[in-house]
Coordinates of all heavy atoms in Angstrom, one line a residue:
T11 N 20.9 6.8 11.3 CA 19.7 7.1 10.6 C 19.8 6.9 9.1 O 18.9 6.9 8.4 CB 19.1 8.4 10.9 OG1 20.0 9.4 10.6 CG2 18.7 8.5 12.4
G12 N 21.0 6.9 8.6 CA 21.3 6.7 7.2 C 21.2 5.3 6.7 O 21.5 4.9 5.6
F32 N -3.6 6.2 -6.7 CA -4.0 5.5 -7.9 C -5.2 4.5 -7.6 O -6.1 4.3 -8.4 CB -2.9 4.7 -8.6 CG -1.9 5.6 -9.3 CD1 -0.6 5.6 -9.1 CD2 -2.4 6.6 -10.2 CE1 0.3 6.4 -9.8 CE2 -1.5 7.4 -10.9 CZ -0.2 7.4 -10.7
I38 N -12.8 5.3 -8.1 CA -13.7 6.3 -8.7 C -14.2 6.0 -10.1 O -15.3 6.1 -10.4 CB -13.1 7.7 -8.6 CG1 -12.9 8.2 -7.2 CG2 -13.8 8.7 -9.5 CD1 -12.1 9.5 -7.0
Y46 N -16.8 -0.3 -17.1 CA -15.4 -0.2 -17.5 C -14.6 -1.5 -17.2 O -13.8 -1.9 -18.0 CB -14.7 1.0 -16.7 CG -13.3 1.2 -17.1 CD1 -12.9 1.8 -18.3 CD2 -12.3 0.9 -16.2 CE1 -11.6 2.0 -18.7 CE2 -11.0 1.1 -16.6 CZ -10.6 1.6 -17.8 OH -9.3 1.8 -18.2
G63 N -15.5 -0.6 -6.6 CA -15.1 0.8 -6.7 C -15.0 1.4 -5.3 O -14.1 2.1 -4.9
H66 N -12.0 -0.1 -3.3 CA -10.7 0.5 -3.8 C -10.6 2.0 -3.3 O -9.5 2.4 -3.0 CB -10.5 0.3 -5.3 CG -10.2 -1.0 -5.7 ND1 -8.9 -1.6 -5.4 CD2 -10.9 -2.0 -6.3 CE1 -8.9 -2.8 -5.9 NE2 -10.0 -3.1 -6.4
L67 N -11.7 2.7 -3.4 CA -11.7 4.1 -3.0 C -11.3 4.2 -1.5 O -10.4 5.0 -1.1 CB -13.0 4.8 -3.3 CG -13.1 6.2 -2.9 CD1 -12.1 7.1 -3.6 CD2 -14.5 6.7 -3.1
L85 N 3.8 6.0 14.7 CA 3.6 4.5 15.0 C 2.2 4.1 14.5 O 2.1 3.0 13.9 CB 3.8 4.2 16.5 CG 3.5 2.8 16.9 CD1 4.5 1.8 16.2 CD2 3.6 2.6 18.4
A87 N 0.6 5.0 12.1 CA 0.6 4.9 10.6 C 1.2 3.6 10.2 O 0.7 3.0 9.2 CB 1.3 6.1 10.0
V90 N -1.6 0.9 10.9 CA -2.7 1.1 10.0 C -2.2 0.7 8.6 O -2.9 0.1 7.8 CB -3.2 2.5 10.0 CG1 -4.2 2.8 8.8 CG2 -4.0 2.8 11.3
A93 N -2.0 -3.1 8.2 CA -3.4 -3.6 8.1 C -4.0 -3.3 6.8 O -4.6 -4.2 6.1 CB -4.3 -3.1 9.3
A94 N -3.9 -2.1 6.3 CA -4.4 -1.6 5.0 C -3.8 -2.3 3.9 O -4.4 -2.7 2.9 CB -4.3 -0.1 4.9
I106 N -8.1 -9.6 -9.6 CA -7.3 -10.0 -10.7 C -8.1 -10.2 -12.0 O -7.6 -9.7 -13.1 CB -6.5 -11.3 -10.3 CG1 -5.4 -10.9 -9.4 CG2 -5.9 -11.9 -11.6 CD1 -4.6 -12.1 -8.8
W112 N -2.6 -4.7 -13.2 CA -2.7 -3.7 -12.1 C -2.8 -4.4 -10.8 O -2.1 -4.0 -9.8 CB -3.8 -2.7 -12.3 CG -4.0 -1.8 -11.2 CD1 -4.9 -1.8 -10.2 CD2 -3.1 -0.6 -11.0 NE1 -4.7 -0.7 -9.3 CE2 -3.6 0.0 -9.8 CE3 -2.0 -0.1 -11.6 CZ2 -3.0 1.1 -9.3 CZ3 -1.4 1.0 -11.1 CH2 -1.9 1.6 -9.9
F119 N 3.6 -4.4 -4.6 CA 3.9 -3.3 -3.8 C 3.4 -3.4 -2.3 O 4.1 -3.1 -1.4 CB 3.3 -2.0 -4.4 CG 4.0 -1.5 -5.6 CD1 3.3 -0.9 -6.6 CD2 5.4 -1.5 -5.6 CE1 4.0 -0.4 -7.8 CE2 6.1 -1.0 -6.7 CZ 5.4 -0.4 -7.8
T126 N 8.5 -3.9 4.8 CA 9.3 -2.8 5.2 C 8.7 -2.2 6.5 O 9.5 -1.9 7.4 CB 9.2 -1.7 4.1 OG1 9.7 -2.2 2.9 CG2 10.1 -0.5 4.5
E137 N 14.4 8.4 15.3 CA 15.7 9.1 14.8 C 15.4 9.8 13.5 O 16.0 10.9 13.3 CB 16.8 8.0 14.6 CG 17.3 7.5 15.9 CD 18.2 6.4 15.8 OE1 18.5 6.0 14.6 OE2 18.7 5.8 16.8

Side-chain angles (χ1 to χ4, degrees):
T11 58
F32 286 131
I38 291 170
Y46 182 74
H66 284 289
L67 178 62
L85 177 62
V90 170
I106 287 174
W112 178 255
F119 283 141
T126 304
E137 289 174 2

